[in-house]
Amino acid sequence: MTRKATAFTALAALLLLIGADLIGAPLNPYQAPPAFAFGSGQVASGGFCGALPN
Amino acid sequence: MNTAILERQAASGGIARRSALILAALAAVAALALFGGARYGFMLAIGLGFGIALEGLRFGFAGPWRAMIVRREPAGILAQLLAIALVSIVAIPAISSHPGELTGAQAPIGFAMVGGAFVFGAAMQVVMGCGSGTLVNAGSGNPIGLLALPFFAIGSFFGAYGLIWWTNLGALPILTLRGTSGLAVTLVLLGLVAATVFFLGKRGSRSLPRRYIIAALVLAALAIANLLVAGQPWGVVYGLGLWVAKGVNGMGFDLTQSAFYAAPGSITRVKESLLTDYTSLTDIGLIAGAFGVAAWRQGGLSQKLPSYPARAWAATIIAGFLLGYSSRLAFGCNVGAFFSGISTGSLHGWVWFAAAFAGAYLGIWLRPRLGLEARA
């Protein structure tokens, strides 16, 4: 067996994850934030491993 | 004659494969920007950049630490410190001048944080893959990385689930280096560490290869872009735990028993698409970008998989879980705590570095004993 099998397994798993997620939580471009946080005037609210939850 | 035809066919096949890879990446970024929003498209592009840079330039975090500890080769760590310094020059003043819009990787120093960093440092040497490295390894077809990744994600979920309990064992307030003086202190500390590593390094291996300089410059540029687009620094572990949390929530389990997942921000993110979560997007980009580089290289995916004993696979599962669990307790991995913590002025990044580097000695000692030095 070569790395082809494992690399394609990783990619397939990733696509499966994204596909399953999109079914349960579809995207909505009308709720999209400004393209750049810098200069947007909005408070950053993304999840981050260094942050305790609000 | 036949050889010439075969070479021509191989060349045209290579061009077609590479064109398909470029088109797939551009189409994915454009589709996400169109159907989700420009910011998310940018974040996926930045994540792909991280994956391409790390795999394409064969740069990482676990390998250079091992090279310094085992062979006293400091170049890789010096390149990491260079990248962190370059990011800090932009990030620390930008966060000070745009509070709220931009946040750093700022977290409290505590007992669980220090212990978590030590365990992470050990586990990343066992599997030879850190936060970013495990994703890149999985994407490029490394079987150890591929097996470690799901357990990394599960560990991250459970680490976040109990994070508040662990943090309540004792932690200092968040200590941050801010503004011009904060930047000056950060650069001086980085310089002192670089000088120490330089002088401890073996003669003849102290100069930075061109590949490492390019890697440091590219990583720094991408990390700065990450901060300016997302409003938060580059991270890895949060996204992996979120993927599992979404799955667990989808199966009907109640996450509100956890103080972490009961928080309003966590509830919102579990319900929303992972394509709107910044760390998920850069994680996806890391895997896909590394896959792209491996597929791009001539023979990149045709390497035979190495053989490992059963105990190596068992050790990979355990180390993968520990990578995820410990990095949540430590408020980040080599990316979220070490790279982004120090470059955005958080003192926990420095403590993380010391504890994880100490843990790396244990991991290096454990790795061959767990059968993780490949047989062939």
Side-chain angles (χ1 to χ4, degrees):
Chain A
M1 196 186 286
T2 66
R3 277 190 172 223
K4 197 173 192 173
T6 43
F8 273 98
T9 301
L11 193 67
L14 195 62
L15 292 174
L16 200 67
L17 175 79
I18 295 168
D21 182 67
L22 279 173
I23 293 168
L27 293 166
N28 183 352
Y30 300 104
Q31 289 181 343
F36 299 97
F38 184 77
S40 67
Q42 293 184 359
V43 174
S45 59
F48 186 73
C49 46
L52 284 165
N54 296 318
Chain B
M1 184 67 177
N2 284 343
T3 312
I5 292 169
L6 286 172
E7 280 175 359
R8 218 175 301 140
Q9 282 177 340
S12 65
I15 291 167
R17 187 180 69 243
R18 290 175 175 180
S19 304
L21 287 167
I22 294 170
L23 279 175
L26 291 175
V29 169
L32 182 55
L34 187 65
F35 296 110
R39 186 183 294 190
Y40 306 127
F42 283 135
M43 289 307 296
L44 179 59
I46 289 166
L48 285 166
F50 280 127
I52 292 166
L54 290 170
E55 176 64 16
L57 295 163
R58 297 190 190 282
F59 187 73
F61 291 83
W65 285 26
R66 180 185 170 89
M68 181 65 205
I69 292 168
V70 175
R71 301 187 298 275
R72 286 173 49 220
E73 292 172 359
I77 293 186
L78 290 173
Q80 292 169 8
L81 296 172
L82 172 63
I84 291 170
L86 291 171
V87 176
S88 71
I89 289 168
V90 177
I92 293 176
I95 291 168
S96 294
S97 63
H98 289 73
E101 267 181 21
L102 305 181
T103 58
Q106 286 141 10
I109 297 164
F111 294 117
M113 188 247 117
V114 175
F118 180 87
V119 172
F120 186 91
M124 86 173 190
Q125 290 300 329
V126 168
V127 299
M128 272 306 284
C130 50
S132 53
T134 302
L135 273 69
V136 167
N137 288 345
S140 63
N142 177 320
I144 295 294
L146 183 62
L147 180 64
L149 181 55
F151 293 96
F152 193 150
I154 292 167
S156 174
F157 165 73
F158 281 107
Y161 197 93
L163 178 62
I164 308 300
W165 184 88
W166 282 103
T167 306
N168 285 342
L169 292 178
L172 296 170
I174 295 172
L175 303 169
T176 313
L177 298 166
R178 296 172 195 269
T180 311
S181 59
L183 172 61
V185 172
T186 298
L187 292 176
V188 168
L189 287 172
L190 285 168
L192 287 172
V193 174
T196 306
V197 170
F198 182 87
F199 286 112
L200 289 176
K202 200 168 52 183
R203 281 178 192 274
S205 64
R206 290 168 171 168
S207 60
L208 282 180
R210 192 175 163 185
R211 172 169 65 94
Y212 280 2
I213 296 171
I214 295 169
L217 293 173
V218 172
L219 281 188
L222 289 168
I224 291 166
N226 192 125
L227 177 66
L228 299 180
V229 173
Q232 64 185 49
W234 180 25
V236 169
V237 184
Y238 179 88
L240 299 179
L242 181 65
W243 298 356
V244 176
K246 287 175 75 65
V248 169
N249 186 59
M251 288 189 283
F253 288 95
D254 180 18
L255 291 177
T256 57
Q257 298 302 310
S258 156
F260 182 90
Y261 285 111
S266 301
I267 291 170
T268 304
R269 278 186 287 276
V270 167
K271 284 182 182 164
E272 288 179 347
S273 168
L274 60 84
L275 295 178
T276 63
D277 173 61
Y278 306 128
T279 53
S280 292
L281 287 169
T282 46
D283 287 352
I284 291 166
L286 277 164
I287 298 170
F291 174 88
V293 171
W296 180 284
R297 283 188 182 125
Q298 202 69 40
L301 294 177
S302 57
Q303 293 171 43
K304 206 176 160 198
L305 296 181
S307 171
Y308 294 101
R311 72 177 189 280
W313 297 111
T316 300
I317 290 170
I318 295 166
F321 181 86
L322 287 176
L323 280 171
Y325 197 96
S326 63
S327 56
R328 288 318 317 258
L329 269 52
F331 291 103
C333 61
N334 56 295
V335 172
F338 172 54
F339 190 98
S340 295
I342 294 175
S343 65
T344 59
S346 178
L347 283 180
H348 101 287
W350 287 104
V351 176
W352 190 99
F353 180 34
F357 203 82
Y361 281 86
L362 174 63
I364 288 168
W365 181 82
L366 280 172
R367 185 174 159 82
R369 286 162 180 80
L370 294 170
L372 276 153
E373 303 291 348
R375 287 171 183 157

